[in-house]
């Protein structure tokens, strides 16, 4: 997932994506705590993707506020 793909989505789609990324992040942290996580880089990737989605959402909100 890159920023270009995210900018094409609507804010509702971005919120859904953010919710799924937060759920994925929780599941990965839970697996790490129980010792079942093999690939620890997934935690970092999920956090970065969530931050990327939040950034795009904030950009869209600022653009909407500037237009109004």
């Amino acid at each position: 997932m890159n920023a270009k793909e995210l900018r094409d989505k609507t804010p509702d789609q971005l919120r859904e994506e953010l919710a799924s990324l937060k759920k994925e992040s929780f599941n990965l942290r839970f697996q790490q705590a129980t010792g079942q996580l093999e690939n620890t880089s997934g935690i970092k990737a999920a956090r970065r993707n969530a931050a990327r989605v939040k950034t795009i959402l904030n950009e869209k909100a600022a653009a909407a506020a500037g237009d109004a």
Side-chain angles (χ1 to χ4, degrees):
M1 162 184 356
N2 59 19
K4 192 172 193 176
E5 293 172 357
L6 292 174
R7 284 191 177 94
D8 294 336
K9 294 186 176 185
T10 64
D12 289 335
Q13 291 173 326
L14 289 172
R15 286 186 197 96
E16 290 174 9
E17 184 73 28
L18 183 60
S20 69
L21 286 168
K22 285 185 174 187
K23 188 178 289 189
E24 178 185 353
S25 179
F26 171 78
N27 289 333
L28 289 171
R29 285 185 289 125
F30 196 85
Q31 287 178 7
Q32 185 180 30
T34 58
Q36 297 174 350
L37 185 64
E38 294 178 8
N39 186 6
T40 57
S41 66
I43 295 173
K44 184 176 181 180
R47 283 178 45 221
R48 284 189 178 197
N49 287 333
R52 194 171 287 127
V53 170
K54 286 182 181 180
T55 300
I56 302 297
L57 273 171
N58 285 333
E59 286 176 357
K60 286 183 181 276
D67 292 340

